[in-house]
């Protein structure tokens, strides 16, 4: 299968700036992210394709070679084969630090881990763990500490994670002499080029295990449970993802832990509706309350607030209770509680109540005058702007 043009993959033109390339890739990465498209092979292909395009176009040197020589200039993929050995999901996610870094405060939106080699040798990285945490509005308003139990891979105690049975259980890799990489001379359109790749014998670790640790069967990791304390900042919202570095799965053979990704879910409040940092409440007054005025109580996140109702309050009026909303997660300031007034009209009446209302039917004060009609109409019109 022929490779698609990288500019086409990202949907940008040949003169796109570095910022435009980054933006376009960010969009594609979110669209085709495996978390969003579980089990969708096509999405995964698109995800990898976009990552590969970004890997080339974001690097000025690679981009220049690509512009000049096409796919053959970057990784000799003219046969339609792999991309310099292929980009693994791990490599793709390691790019994400630059792309999505620093979304909110101390948390990165996605796990950002740059560089997974150490002194030429490849260092394994454990996979990320994903958990969902459901929060109510009160927890969101104040921030909350949650303890959750997760099942995950942890480093094997017996072999301290290296996977070998004792000190003589492993030996330096003879293929790469412990460096973890092998060097090859490849003929490319640009002439002979030296390429380095991960040692196929040891997988880049520089060591091979001759006697496996019986506890973990040579993997260096075992299944276990851990209780993790998550500090959730105030103001988070449904769909936000927080990450805790190093709290994911341990890596095979003593590498670097993956991250714990925490997806926020929001519980519905029985009376309050969230609109970003504001809260909305529908206040239902009786006819006498609206006409006579008085004081009523409205629910807030941590209790109740008293609200003064002016005599003659109309349905549709919105009262604003400053700073009774939710704090903003990434800036200062707090939202408001907006109280929408509506009026309850009785659905059944006793005969004496009927008589009273009939007596009021033609009373001038019960007829809306011209200016009131205009005021109510303009509020109605605003609803559709
Ligand atoms: Zn072990
Ligand atoms: Zn090796």
């Amino acid at each position: 299968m022929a490779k698609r043009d990288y500019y086409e993959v990202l949907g940008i033109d040949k003169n796109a700036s570095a910022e435009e390339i980054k933006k376009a890739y960010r969009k594609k990465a979110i669209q085709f992210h495996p978390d969003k498209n579980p089990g969708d092979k096509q999405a995964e292909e698109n995800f990898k394709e976009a990552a590969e395009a970004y890997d080339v176009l974001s690097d000025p040197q690679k981009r220049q070679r690509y512009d000049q020589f096409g796919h053959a200039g970057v990784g000799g993929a003219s046969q339609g084969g792999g991309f310099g050995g292929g980009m693994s999901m791990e490599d793709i996610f390691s790019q994400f630090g630059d792309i999505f870094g620093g979304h909110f405060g101390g948390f990165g939106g996605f796990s950002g881990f740059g560089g997974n080699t150490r002194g030429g040798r490849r260092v394994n990285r454990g996979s990320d763990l994903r958990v969902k945490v459901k929060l109510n509005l009160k927890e969101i308003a104040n921030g909350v500490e949650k303890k959750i139990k997760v099942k995950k891979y942890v480093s094997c105690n017996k072999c301290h994670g290296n996977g070998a049975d004792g000190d003589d259980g492993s030996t330096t890799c003879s293929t790469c002499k412990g460096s973890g990489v092998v060097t090859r001379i490849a003929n490319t359109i640009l002439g002979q080029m030296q390429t380095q790749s991960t040692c196929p014998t040891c997988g880049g670790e520089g060591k091979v295990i001759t006697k496996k640790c019986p506890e973990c069967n040579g993997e260096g990791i075992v299944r276990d449970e851990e209780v993790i304390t998550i500090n959730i900042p105030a103001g988070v919202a449904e769909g936000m993802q927080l990450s805790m570095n190093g709290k994911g799965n341990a890596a095979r053979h003593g590498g670097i832990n993956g991250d714990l990704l925490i997806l926020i879910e929001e519980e519905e409040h029985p009376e309050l509706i969230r609109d970003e940092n504001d809260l909305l409440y529908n206040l239902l007054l009786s006819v006498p309350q609206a006409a006579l005025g008085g004081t009523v109580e409205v629910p807030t996140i941590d209790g109740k607030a008293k609200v003064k109702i002016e005599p003659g309050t109309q349905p549709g009026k919105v009262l604003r209770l400053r700073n009774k909303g939710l704090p903003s997660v990434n800036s200062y300031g707090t939202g408001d509680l907006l109280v929408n007034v509506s009026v309850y009209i009785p659905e059944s009446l006793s005969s004496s109540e009927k008589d009273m209302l009939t007596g009021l039917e033609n009373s001038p004060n019960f007829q809306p005058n011209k200016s009131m009609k205009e005021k109510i109409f303009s509020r109605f019109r605003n609803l559709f702007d």
Side-chain angles (χ1 to χ4, degrees), residues 156 158-159 163 213 215-216 220:
C156 171
K158 190 170 167 65
C159 62
C213 165
E215 188 70 28
C216 61

Side-chain angles (χ1 to χ4, degrees), residues 156-164 213-222:
C156 171
N157 268 332
K158 190 170 167 65
C159 62
H160 306 290
N162 65 29
C213 165
E215 188 70 28
C216 61
N217 197 29
E219 294 294 307
I221 48 175
V222 290

Side-chain angles (χ1 to χ4, degrees), residues 173-181 199-208:
C173 172
S174 57
T175 307
C176 64
K177 312 273 183 301
S179 70
V181 290
C199 171
T201 307
C202 62
E205 290 174 6
K207 278 182 170 184
V208 283

Side-chain angles (χ1 to χ4, degrees), residues 236-278:
V236 295
E238 172 90 22
M240 274 186 185
Q241 190 169 261
L242 312 176
S243 82
M244 284 174 85
N245 285 345
K247 288 293 184 182
N249 284 313
R252 292 177 74 237
H253 301 166
I256 294 158
N257 290 350
D259 297 335
L260 177 66
L261 306 177
I262 303 131
L263 184 71
I264 302 295
E265 292 186 343
E266 204 174 298
E267 239 172 60
E268 226 171 63
H269 190 280
E271 294 180 289
L272 300 171
I273 297 167
R274 179 175 188 177
D275 177 24
E276 296 190 359
N277 296 325
D278 289 335

